[in-house]
Each structure stands twice: as C-alpha cells, then as structure tokens.
Amino acid sequence: MARGKVQLRRIENPVHRQVTFCKRRAGLLKKAKELSVLCDAEIGLIIFSTHGKLYELATKGTMQGMIEKYMKSSQEVHAQVEPNPPQETQEEISMLKQEVHLLQKGLR
Amino acid sequence: MARGKVQLRRIENPVHRQVTFCKRRAGLLKKAKELSVLCDAEIGLIIFSTHGKLYELATKGTMQGMIEKYMKSSQEVHAQVEPNPPQETQEEISMLKQEVHLLQKGLR
DNA sequence: CCCTATATATAATG
DNA sequence: CATTATATATAGGG
C-alpha cells in the first residue's frame, strides 16, 4: 500500500511497527464492522499487541456471548474433525508420514 | 470499492450478500494475518454468517488459548478449561516415530 | 495527526 | 471463477 510495498514479515523497527499496528488495527476493525453490517454477520475480534495490550470488537452482543456461541458451534462443527490437536501436532504427523514415505522408497 | 460505491447497510439481495460475504471475509482474514505477522500481534477472529456458520482464525496457538488469555486480560472471572490433546493423536505420533526409526535401521 | 502517491481490495461484469 | 475499473487502505514523510 502506498509509497512502498510491504514485506510479509515482522517489522523490526519498533517505531514503524507501532505506527503500522495502530493504522492497520484501525483498518481491520473498520473492515470487520463493515462486513458485519453489509452481510448481517456476527463478528468477534480480539487483538493482543506485542506487549499484551488488549483490543476487542464484538459486532453483536458482547464478547462473552460471542465466546459462548463459539464454544457450542465449535464443538458441533469440528469436534471430530480437528478438535484440539494443535496445528503443530498435526504438522508433526504430516512430517513424520512424509518421512516414512521417503524411507520406504529408499529401502526399495 | 470498485465499480460502485458501497452503502453502509445490510445488503438486501441474498445473492449479492453471499458473494460480498465470501469476498470480504477472505479479505478480512488476510488483513488479520498480515497485521499479526507485521506487528507481531496475536489475533483471534470469529465470524458467524447470517445462517450461523462459523469461520475462525487464531494467529498464534489455538482459539481456546486465545479465549483464555482474553478472559484473564479482560479481568473477567470465567474459568475456562481446555481439554488436552487426544491420546489418539499422541499415540499416532509415537507409532510414526517408531516406524521412522525402524525404517532408518533398515536402510543401514 | 494530516497528506499524497501507491498498493490493495473488491463491485460489477464477462 | 477471471478480469477490470474504482474505491479504499496505508507507507512514508511532514
């Protein structure tokens, strides 16, 4: 955007990072509100800055209500599919499977 | 944006609304990821469509962890327990590791 | 904060 | 789903 393309990696300069954080956070919140209004969706957005400061948005009702609704829906939707296994764990499985595959090829 | 300015109100035409929902939802998720990476922030995003379908994003860890952190930070007194990774998953990892081991021996 | 040049997002259309 | 004309978002710089 604007006078310089941006790299998709952590901005090292703390001042730049802070400025960008403010601007983009505002933009993100605006977009979230728009999506909610335009498409009649319910949105909950939680942001923790690097230093742990909390920013939030709940477009309908409260964040609490949002969370509760999420809990229920989440259980229904992917209780069996991908419940709690952290992404990391899933990735480990993938890696291992791939390795097994390679090793088996190596044996032949 | 684009060939026509947008009114900040609910889109009545169900088809248009659905299309817009898809596009903007994708955009919002992208922006959220970018903000997270660029500014090293932790973001949790929950979206319920008009018909109650859930879409979510947690940029670090799980949504569960995000929610717990939120609970503490917002100073609410909602103790929430996160279930542990399923044994099944852990076992699968063990099995795979062992298999890798055996195959490696086989190669020697 | 405000501005302005550009990068992006996306409404409308093919 | 791909393209394209415009509307927005925003990086860099006062």
Side-chain angles (χ1 to χ4, degrees), chain B residues 36-94:
Chain B
S36 174
V37 173
L38 290 173
C39 305
D40 193 30
E42 190 171 356
I43 300 179
L45 178 56
I46 299 174
I47 304 174
F48 282 107
S49 72
T50 306
H51 303 302
K53 181 163 182 181
L54 171 67
Y55 301 86
E56 65 176 298
L57 167 71
T59 62
K60 294 185 178 182
T62 67
M63 184 60 76
Q64 286 292 338
M66 193 74 213
I67 289 174
E68 284 176 34
K69 190 168 177 180
Y70 169 79
M71 294 295 194
K72 290 178 190 168
S73 189
S74 65
Q75 300 176 351
E76 298 290 343
V77 196
H78 251 75
Q80 194 61 47
V81 185
E82 179 180 4
N84 288 321
Q87 277 187 321
E88 204 176 311
T89 311
Q90 296 293 4
E91 282 167 14
E92 186 171 6
I93 289 181
S94 295

